[in-house]
Amino acid sequence: GDLETRCWDTVVSQSLNSYASLKSRVVTKLLSAHASRSRRIQAALDRAAAKAAKGRDVAEVPGNVDVIPLGFVKNMAEYMVAADVLVSKAGPGTIAEAAAVGLPIMVTSHLPGQEAGNVDIVLDGGFGDYCEDPETIALEIACWLQDSQLLDVMSKKAQAVGHPHAAEEIAQDIGDTTHDFMEKNKK
């Protein structure tokens, strides 16, 4: 129905106008500093905003980015190791897993109260940012992906916060405590 009768010249024209408007809004958003953003991330965004303000695209060469939205998967660690950036809500397990493999994170939301502190872990750790606006998220991620030095620094900061063997250590502590308790009760 609608696809067959649509005026595609109008659609293309509107899309180009929307792109120009988006580019203008994004430059404005990038120039406004995020209170908790790390200096390195803000510096990368400032460089991108300066390029855009001069009429140049943020990326010198348009990139090919594969965005892969996933539902529930059992092999998340494999995906995280293969990814350059994670875009996610502030779930504690997700942040811990990403940090353990050195994966920079863009946090997009959090549950009030119980996940709010998780945003601070990412921001204070310097391995990601927090943003709820989809357009700004897209542009900031594009800036990250164009700055390999920034991604490397963020990855190292994530690894410094991460504890890849935490589950094993917790299980060992529980086992040791249980064993000690059982030994004491034999006497």
Side-chain angles (χ1 to χ4, degrees):
D2 184 42
L3 291 178
E4 295 169 7
T5 60
R6 182 173 286 167
C7 175
W8 289 103
D9 290 334
T10 302
V11 171
V12 170
S13 173
Q14 288 172 343
S15 295
L16 291 174
N17 289 336
S18 294
Y19 175 74
S21 172
L22 170 63
K23 189 173 179 181
S24 173
R25 289 192 316 266
V26 165
V27 168
T28 301
K29 287 177 184 179
L30 281 177
L31 291 173
S32 63
H34 186 283
S36 301
R37 183 174 285 144
S38 78
R39 287 191 312 257
R40 284 188 184 274
I41 292 173
Q42 187 60 50
L45 294 176
D46 290 343
R47 286 191 302 274
K51 284 182 186 178
K54 292 178 183 174
R56 297 186 345 222
D57 281 334
V58 172
E60 293 293 330
V61 177
N64 182 12
V65 177
D66 293 324
V67 177
I68 305 169
L70 301 172
F72 179 80
V73 296
K74 293 182 179 182
N75 58 337
M76 183 54 71
E78 293 173 32
Y79 282 104
M80 286 186 174
V81 169
D84 295 313
V85 174
L86 175 68
V87 178
S88 179
K89 74 176 196 67
T94 303
I95 291 173
E97 289 177 271
V101 297
L103 184 59
I105 305 171
M106 171 57 76
V107 181
T108 60
S109 63
H110 60 82
L111 295 176
Q114 69 187 47
E115 291 181 347
N118 300 338
V119 175
D120 293 334
I121 290 170
V122 173
L123 296 176
D124 294 345
F127 62 99
D129 202 359
Y130 176 81
C131 183
E132 295 179 354
D133 179 65
E135 292 173 358
T136 306
I137 291 167
L139 189 62
E140 185 166 341
I141 295 296
C143 291
W144 292 3
L145 293 172
Q146 293 298 317
D147 191 336
S148 60
Q149 185 179 23
L150 174 66
L151 282 177
D152 187 49
V153 168
M154 291 170 68
S155 178
K156 288 177 181 168
K157 287 185 174 203
Q159 287 173 335
V161 171
H163 300 283
H165 303 291
E168 296 164 11
E169 293 167 5
I170 291 168
Q172 184 67 47
D173 286 347
I174 291 170
D176 291 346
T177 302
T178 303
H179 181 265
D180 292 347
F181 183 78
M182 292 175 70
E183 289 297 316
K184 287 179 184 177
N185 283 330
K186 283 185 180 177
K187 298 179 183 176

